[in-house]
Amino acid sequence: MADKIAVFPGSFDPFTLGHYSVVTRALPLFDTIIIAIGTNTAKNCFFNIDERIELIEGVFANNNKIKVQAYDGLTVDFCREVGATFMLRGIRTVTDFEYECAISQMNQFMQPGIESMFLLTTPDLSPVNSTIVRDILRYGGDVSQFVPAGMDIAGVLSRRKK
């Protein structure tokens, strides 16, 4: 029987408690979850790809069911490359659902056999999003209450100053 592999795609700049919640709640459903950091040229990223990989790997260092990889191009192509048959997505709002639904349907046209799995964000985390957390970081604010334990943002930022 083939492993159930899910890809959780996003820019994850930064990876938040909302993302963490989706991944940890999905763990019992899959053999492997690949947190796939995509290149989004429309976003002005705070962390580079290598920093995001390092930060997320630090959070899941003790979990061998989770892998972190960067990719470029279409997410459905990446899913096919890694043998994933599921795409994992978190939904915070009705607007998120409408957007994700349209993407899921387009993905079905391009790559039949990759199913989208949507998990609703827990109510306490629905206001947390990467854009707001990134803005707090840009202005030197403390984001520790919005990101998972084990994420060494301070360490990454201190290396930048050297």
Side-chain angles (χ1 to χ4, degrees), residues 32 36 86:
T32 302
F86 298 94

Side-chain angles (χ1 to χ4, degrees), residues 66-131:
I66 297 173
K67 296 179 166 100
V68 184
Q69 289 181 245
Y71 75 100
D72 195 22
L74 294 174
T75 305
V76 290
D77 291 340
F78 179 74
C79 288
R80 187 175 52 249
E81 288 170 21
V82 297
T85 53
F86 298 94
M87 196 176 306
L88 180 62
R89 299 299 292 155
I91 304 286
R92 289 178 299 132
T93 64
V94 172
T95 305
D96 284 354
F97 175 76
E98 290 174 351
Y99 176 76
E100 294 296 341
C101 187
I103 289 175
S104 174
Q105 290 167 335
M106 290 301 291
N107 287 340
Q108 279 292 311
F109 282 119
M110 291 188 294
Q111 187 65 41
I114 296 178
E115 292 293 335
S116 293
M117 301 285 293
F118 301 125
L119 287 181
L120 298 176
T121 302
T122 57
D124 58 318
L125 295 175
S126 63
V128 177
N129 70 61
S130 291
T131 302

Side-chain angles (χ1 to χ4, degrees), residues 130-156:
S130 291
T131 302
I132 295 170
V133 174
R134 190 169 48 248
D135 285 344
I136 295 168
L137 277 168
R138 278 199 173 103
Y139 291 101
D142 177 14
V143 298
S144 60
Q145 63 186 323
F146 307 116
V147 299
M151 227 165 107
D152 186 19
I153 289 176
V156 167

